[in-house]
Amino acid sequence: MTIEVKNLVKKFGTFAALDGVDLKIGNGELLALLGPSGSGKTTLLRIIAGLDWPDSGEVSFDGENALVRGAGERQVGFVFQHYALFRHMTVFENVAFGLRVQPRSIRKDDASIRARVKELLDLVQLDWLAGRYPSQLSGGQRQRIALARALAIAPRILLLDEPFGALDAKVRKELRQWLRSLHQEINVTSIFVTHDQEEALEVANRVVVMDKGRIEQIGTPGDVYDNPATAFVHGFIGESIVLPVNVSDGRVRLGDKALKIAADGASSGASKLFVRRHDMQVGPAGSGSLEGSVRQVRSFGPIQRAVVALCGGEIIEIDAPRDRELQAGEIVGLEPRRYRIFAA
Amino acid sequence: MTMELQQSLEYAAPEVRSRVRPFAAPDDVRSEPRFVRIGIIALATAFLSVFVVLPLVVVFAQAFSKGVSAYFAALSDPEALSAIRLTLLVAAISVSLNLVFGVIAAWAIAKFEFSGKTALVTLIDLPFSVSPVISGLVFVLLFGAQGYWGPWLQSHNIHVLFALPGIALATSFVTFPFVARALIPLMQEQGTQEEEAAISLGASGLQTFFRVTLPNIKWGVLYGVLLCNARAMGEFGAVSVVSGHVRGETNTMPLLVEILYNEYQFVSSFAIASLLAMLALITLIAKTMLERHIDEEELPHDD
Amino acid sequence: MKRRSTLPGFGLSLGLTLTWLSIIVLIPLAALFLKTFELSPDQFWNILTSRRTLNALKISFGLAFAAALVNLVMGTIIVWALVRYRFPGRRLFDAIVDIPFALPTAVAGVALTSLFAEKGWLGAPLAAIGIKVAFTPVGIFIAMVFIGIPFVVRTVQPVLIDLDPEIEEAAASLGANRWHTVSKVILPSLIPALLTGLALAFARAVGEYGSVIFIAGNLPNVSEIAPLLIVIRLSEFRYADATAIAVVMLVASFLIIFVVNRLQRWAQTRVPAH
């Protein structure tokens, strides 16, 4: 199933939750919608599911207009952030619900429904919980039951809203791996929403980074991390050092100091220089185009993290390998190894 | 908050539970000196005993003052039986009308966003703040001989006032908010996620309502019906104005209490009153038990 | 593009709600106002300023306010005992508070009358010290106190339960003694709820009929409440008189609803979220 979204706009009062979104999703993809809260990612997911309706724009499944169909007619499996399990039904009945409410003409007989539910509970490895009620399950178990329930209707698309948001860190990590392998097994086009970059980068084949109702970048996890398309993406994904610079005649200046780095085609004027913490080369005084004094050093694992005050007064944090231990008070030279410049 | 409060206007909101810390130690910074504590407890219990418990005791003492056989004789009097029948009938009519209305209104108000919602809720609450006498009067003004529709009804020989329809209408008016009031906060608390899940799994609107929404609010519905019923059976002022007091025909139990009392038939009067008092006590006990279930219904099912 | 909502039945359910609301509540109340407009302003004014009407209104509003004040004080004491202390029978007394709500008013009326009549359990000792309760304005006041008990208790109770214990501990740690903590920290934060309870008890007492008329004596100008005067005018087929008094009382209850809503808003802006 492919999904195509064209120029989607959705406003809540004066607030634009979606401000012209275009997106194509290929068959069998596992896509992450990543962004801060209020970026419109959940709204986009709900519109695809048919739980919300856009003010304008198009949504099509395999080239067919999806907006003429209600949520129940789209064959979309939706996993809610807080699972929305039916609290008065057992796990078994929750999973069976979508099968039991089918029109009589296509509804399967009870034995087939039971067999199918059993199969799904096996798939999520929770068949032993069939008789329990949602309130008797742990968060991770609820999550997997919600997924089994969504899969029961043989969805053409699987949508997950913050699937790991309400879980604790350890369970979250386990479920990430599990979701990846489950996706490989069932191979249904899937989209999940998250505000956690690590989750998006680790699970998805492709990541859509959103901010303020717009798409900032679409790409593989490697793309969005290594080649951020905008200042927002650079700042949102991974930890960055941001320095205010001025670009003129292809040269980059910090304050009145010219840096050795090339402007890389950045347009002239006030700009921002983005450098990953570990992409800042540290050497003895005078070794780089920037100079600063080390304020604090903490060493853990393979790196040492140093707080450095630059001559211009900016305070930055860098991650350096531990081949040369830095000392507080030491003057060091700094040189960005990899960097991006965006207009301010 | 307004809603919770307005609900407590007639009956305590279900969320009023008694969470109390253990008896405070003497040096607890959050408690008072021992003599103050004892004084406050004594004052509170004495006041409640004199003003609330004693009147209740009087009802039963008077009802049984001439013995058990006189009590049952009073209750099996044809007039008493007819009043009991009418009371049950009126309660059945107005409770079922307001049950259907309350569920539908709560669905519209709790599950959708629209402008004017606060105003609508205030209007639904209105009968709580209207004097019972006025609640009866408005129907006299509509259906009475000098009322707007009275002459037309008279010429078509339709009896509304001083007959069952008028009593049922006035009772429906005073009990109007109960079911809706019990359900709106509960359904708002529960949100719409489970319904959305059902719809996205292919359930129809009615399937969603009967299989997902209704099972989740069943205790709340029962709570509303219970309070609605208690008020419907006990309503005096409004019914008194529209009933016409036709003996054996349009007297409900509370009206019969009044008539018998004014005729100095105290045992009979208090015997009927004791039935109504028992209704009140059973209602209170059932209400306390239901509040526990409703708390569970309200519990969000993730942590 | 057509806006659609996910859940079905909005138009239908709202339509049915408005229809039913109109039939049972709005049209009947509108009839009351329409009937009033049939009176000339002079007629209206003469009815309201007649001695008997004025006295009935004075009795209803005056005694209702006095009773509401008693409920405010006693309600505060009761709610404090119920929320802050543990004592035998606490849960029972907590449940008892609701009885005036649940007991049909006619039953309350005959019970209070029997209790406070000259030969009654409480009436006899009171008569011995020269206090006559039944069939006097004092009786009306007693009945109004009875029906108002739950309002202050049930509005203040949830607020007192939810009061953050840390603010009391903070006050104590800053050196306040218990009396200062209660009077300067706790009671002020209960004020919106207390006033709301007062207003609700007052509204209920003003309109009360069943529990009052038995004990009142119903002597015109002395112990005749306004709702009873409405009933009397109706039985005399003086609809105009009944309507005029009813409109005044209805407008008063609208004003009280308005005040209560304001109090609620005030309470919301005062209470910090925790």
Side-chain angles (χ1 to χ4, degrees):
Chain A
M1 173 73 103
T2 62
I3 304 168
E4 190 168 356
V5 167
K6 269 192 210 154
N7 199 21
L8 221 48
V9 175
K10 170 78 178 175
K11 291 196 164 78
F12 294 106
T14 57
F15 172 73
L18 293 178
D19 194 8
V21 168
D22 295 283
L23 183 61
K24 275 187 183 173
I25 302 157
N27 192 23
E29 271 201 80
L30 178 51
L31 187 89
L33 296 178
L34 173 64
S37 60
S39 59
K41 54 194 193 305
T42 295
T43 307
L44 177 57
L45 196 75
R46 288 174 59 88
I47 288 175
I48 294 173
L51 296 171
D52 261 326
W53 299 83
D55 298 331
S56 65
E58 293 171 26
V59 179
S60 53
F61 295 171
D62 280 343
E64 240 177 73
N65 183 4
L67 292 177
V68 296
R69 293 166 181 271
E73 302 154 350
R74 292 194 193 178
Q75 267 190 295
V76 167
F78 197 97
V79 178
F80 290 80
Q81 182 176 5
H82 299 289
Y83 323 124
L85 292 176
F86 306 128
R87 67 194 97 177
H88 63 285
M89 294 182 197
T90 60
V91 163
F92 186 93
E93 285 304 320
N94 262 284
V95 178
F97 184 86
L99 301 171
R100 294 206 196 282
V101 296
Q102 280 178 336
R104 208 172 283 278
S105 54
I106 59 164
R107 194 188 305 157
K108 298 200 187 77
D109 61 75
D110 200 54
S112 327
I113 291 178
R114 290 186 165 278
R116 175 78 181 130
V117 174
K118 173 89 173 56
E119 204 178 292
L120 286 161
L121 289 176
D122 282 341
L123 179 71
V124 299
Q125 299 153 9
L126 290 176
D127 51 320
W128 52 286
L129 289 176
R132 302 265 186 98
Y133 284 90
S135 58
Q136 298 166 308
L137 307 183
S138 72
Q141 290 167 343
R142 286 177 202 175
Q143 174 61 264
R144 286 191 276 166
I145 295 303
L147 196 64
R149 183 179 70 177
L151 291 174
I153 58 168
R156 303 186 295 171
I157 306 166
L158 187 60
L159 304 175
L160 305 100
D161 186 7
E162 295 276 3
F164 314 113
L167 302 171
D168 58 49
K170 187 168 172 292
V171 181
R172 203 181 292 193
K173 292 223 164 190
E174 288 167 10
L175 277 182
R176 280 183 204 165
Q177 286 310 315
W178 177 77
L179 182 63
R180 274 183 73 93
S181 48
L182 184 82
H183 177 257
Q184 272 171 0
E185 200 174 328
I186 59 175
N187 201 34
V188 171
T189 310
S190 305
I191 307 173
F192 71 96
V193 156
T194 180
H195 63 270
D196 181 340
Q197 41 160 316
E198 205 181 310
E199 206 163 278
L201 301 181
E202 209 176 290
V203 179
N205 306 129
R206 221 150 55 104
V207 178
V208 176
V209 186
M210 295 185 67
D211 184 44
K212 295 183 182 136
R214 293 176 166 278
I215 292 180
E216 294 276 324
Q217 186 173 6
I218 307 175
T220 63
D223 277 343
V224 295
Y225 190 88
D226 293 331
N227 300 306
T230 65
F232 171 81
V233 178
H234 208 307
F236 188 70
I237 297 177
E239 306 203 67
S240 304
I241 299 163
V242 188
L243 292 171
V245 293
N246 216 314
V247 179
S248 58
D249 312 330
R251 297 193 62 82
V252 182
R253 289 167 192 279
L254 175 67
D256 51 7
K257 198 165 182 176
L259 305 186
K260 285 182 201 154
I261 57 178
D264 278 352
S267 51
S268 296
S271 304
K272 278 182 175 160
L273 172 69
F274 283 80
V275 188
R276 300 276 183 217
R277 281 177 177 173
H278 55 83
D279 282 336
M280 193 65 101
Q281 172 94 42
V282 188
S287 68
S289 50
L290 288 169
E291 201 120 295
S293 73
V294 176
R295 290 275 180 85
Q296 266 180 31
V297 187
R298 284 164 186 274
S299 300
F300 39 82
I303 61 146
Q304 49 185 337
R305 176 161 299 170
V307 178
V308 179
L310 299 184
C311 301
E314 298 88 354
I315 308 276
I316 62 172
E317 275 189 40
I318 56 167
D319 288 347
R322 294 179 71 176
D323 47 5
R324 192 176 74 89
E325 299 283 337
L326 297 171
Q327 302 295 327
E330 184 183 348
I331 304 292
V332 289
L334 301 164
E335 192 63 60
R337 257 194 306 253
R338 295 166 58 104
Y339 59 91
R340 299 282 304 225
I341 298 170
F342 297 104
Chain B
M1 179 68 186
T2 307
M3 296 184 182
E4 280 154 37
L5 185 104
Q6 297 263 344
Q7 186 175 35
S8 69
L9 204 146
E10 274 298 308
Y11 278 89
E15 61 267 40
V16 179
R17 277 161 298 156
S18 319
R19 275 183 274 133
V20 162
R21 284 158 211 97
F23 195 83
D27 57 343
D28 188 337
V29 296
R30 298 192 53 236
S31 193
E32 293 72 42
R34 191 178 163 78
F35 71 94
V36 177
R37 293 203 301 263
I38 290 172
I40 286 177
I41 292 172
L43 207 54
T45 52
F47 182 82
L48 286 176
S49 302
V50 169
F51 275 92
V52 184
V53 179
L54 263 189
L56 205 59
V57 175
V58 163
V59 172
F60 291 96
Q62 292 276 7
F64 287 101
S65 60
K66 297 261 162 57
V68 177
S69 56
Y71 177 79
F72 284 107
L75 289 185
S76 50
D77 184 86
E79 237 181 279
L81 291 177
S82 132
I84 293 171
R85 264 197 302 275
L86 180 63
T87 301
L88 292 176
L89 182 61
V90 167
I93 294 171
S94 44
V95 168
S96 36
L97 285 179
N98 284 329
L99 169 63
V100 174
F101 161 78
V103 172
I104 292 174
W107 176 265
I109 290 168
K111 301 287 182 186
F112 300 93
E113 288 308 318
F114 54 95
S115 50
K117 190 191 271 196
T118 328
L120 179 61
V121 172
T122 309
L123 288 179
I124 289 176
D125 277 340
L126 214 51
F128 276 164
S129 355
V130 175
S131 168
V133 167
I134 298 176
S135 312
L137 169 70
V138 291
F139 290 100
V140 175
L141 295 180
L142 282 181
F143 301 113
Q146 300 177 38
Y148 286 104
W149 301 330
W152 186 89
L153 291 170
Q154 218 158 24
S155 65
H156 289 75
N157 207 19
I158 303 171
H159 299 283
V160 175
L161 218 53
F162 311 134
L164 178 65
I167 300 175
L169 270 176
T171 308
S172 299
F173 179 99
V174 294
T175 57
F176 188 79
F178 281 102
V179 179
R181 273 268 133 255
L183 292 183
I184 291 168
L186 180 65
M187 285 166 73
Q188 275 175 336
E189 186 84 17
Q190 289 179 350
T192 55
Q193 280 222 333
E194 286 186 41
E195 282 82 8
E196 285 180 356
I199 295 282
S200 82
L201 289 167
S204 70
L206 286 180
Q207 280 174 326
T208 303
F209 178 76
F210 283 106
R211 295 188 185 211
V212 175
T213 308
L214 204 53
N216 277 341
I217 58 168
K218 57 180 186 293
W219 298 116
V221 171
L222 209 55
Y223 185 85
V225 164
L226 184 81
L227 300 191
C228 185
N229 176 65
R231 180 69 194 265
M233 290 192 173
E235 179 52 30
F236 175 71
V239 172
S240 162
V241 171
V242 296
S243 112
H245 306 273
V246 183
R247 298 195 87 142
E249 277 182 42
T250 63
N251 271 338
T252 60
M253 291 164 72
L255 296 183
L256 191 60
V257 169
E258 181 198 23
I259 289 175
L260 294 171
Y261 188 85
N262 287 341
E263 290 171 350
Y264 303 102
Q265 299 190 44
F266 292 127
V267 170
S268 304
S269 173
F270 277 100
I272 306 282
S274 76
L275 289 186
L276 290 169
M278 275 189 274
L279 167 76
L281 290 178
I282 292 167
T283 302
L284 278 188
I285 293 166
K287 169 177 163 284
T288 314
M289 297 194 307
L290 277 178
E291 275 162 11
R292 251 170 252 158
H293 284 295
I294 292 169
D295 281 345
E296 281 165 25
E297 274 183 355
E298 261 184 19
L299 277 182
H301 49 273
D302 60 299
D303 317 316
Chain C
M1 180 166 304
K2 198 178 140 210
R3 277 169 181 270
R4 292 174 62 174
S5 131
T6 317
L7 300 185
F10 174 63
L12 183 68
S13 58
L14 188 64
L16 285 172
T17 303
L18 291 175
T19 309
W20 187 233
L21 178 72
S22 305
I23 293 174
I24 295 291
V25 178
L26 299 184
I27 292 175
L29 285 179
L32 181 63
F33 286 98
L34 277 180
K35 203 82 188 170
T36 318
F37 288 131
E38 290 175 10
L39 298 172
S40 72
D42 274 355
Q43 278 175 303
F44 185 74
W45 188 247
N46 286 338
I47 293 167
L48 287 187
T49 51
S50 79
R51 180 157 168 269
R52 191 166 169 191
T53 312
L54 264 186
N55 279 325
L57 288 171
K58 266 189 215 157
I59 290 163
S60 275
F61 282 88
L63 287 176
F65 189 68
L69 283 180
V70 170
N71 280 320
L72 179 69
V73 175
M74 288 316 299
T76 310
I77 290 171
I78 291 169
V79 87
W80 194 270
L82 291 179
V83 172
R84 288 305 177 91
Y85 305 142
R86 277 244 156 133
F87 54 92
R90 184 185 57 80
R91 296 179 67 92
L92 186 66
F93 278 104
D94 194 355
I96 280 173
V97 169
D98 280 333
I99 284 180
F101 274 150
L103 199 66
T105 54
V107 178
V110 293
L112 287 171
T113 312
S114 167
L115 195 60
F116 285 98
E118 236 166 299
K119 288 184 183 145
W121 295 352
L122 295 177
L126 285 172
I129 56 170
I131 302 173
K132 200 167 173 303
V133 175
F135 317 122
T136 70
V138 184
I140 301 176
F141 169 76
I142 296 275
M144 285 175 169
V145 169
F146 171 82
I147 50 136
I149 289 171
F151 290 94
V152 174
V153 177
R154 294 303 186 219
T155 24
V156 177
Q157 198 170 25
V159 183
L160 186 58
I161 287 172
D162 283 343
L163 205 65
D164 189 356
E166 284 182 3
I167 65 165
E168 285 169 63
E169 285 161 2
S173 76
L174 290 169
N177 66 28
R178 190 60 194 160
W179 170 244
H180 283 142
T181 305
V182 171
S183 63
K184 294 200 159 95
V185 177
I186 301 177
L187 284 182
S189 53
L190 297 181
I191 281 178
L194 286 168
L195 291 179
T196 304
L198 178 81
L200 294 177
F202 174 65
R204 173 71 198 261
V206 166
E208 183 55 28
Y209 178 68
S211 43
V212 175
I213 54 159
F214 294 94
I215 201 171
N218 305 328
L219 210 62
N221 299 318
V222 177
S223 57
E224 183 177 73
I225 55 169
L228 178 68
L229 190 56
I230 294 177
V231 173
I232 290 172
R233 291 309 187 212
L234 267 183
S235 67
E236 296 166 351
F237 299 105
R238 291 168 66 175
Y239 282 21
D241 294 49
T243 309
I245 304 169
V247 158
V248 170
M249 299 191 64
L250 198 60
V251 169
S253 32
F254 288 167
L255 283 178
I256 296 169
I257 297 178
F258 180 76
V259 168
V260 166
N261 281 337
R262 277 293 138 121
L263 282 170
Q264 284 308 296
R265 229 169 270 169
W266 182 38
Q268 271 171 338
T269 57
R270 275 173 53 115
V271 177
H274 60 258

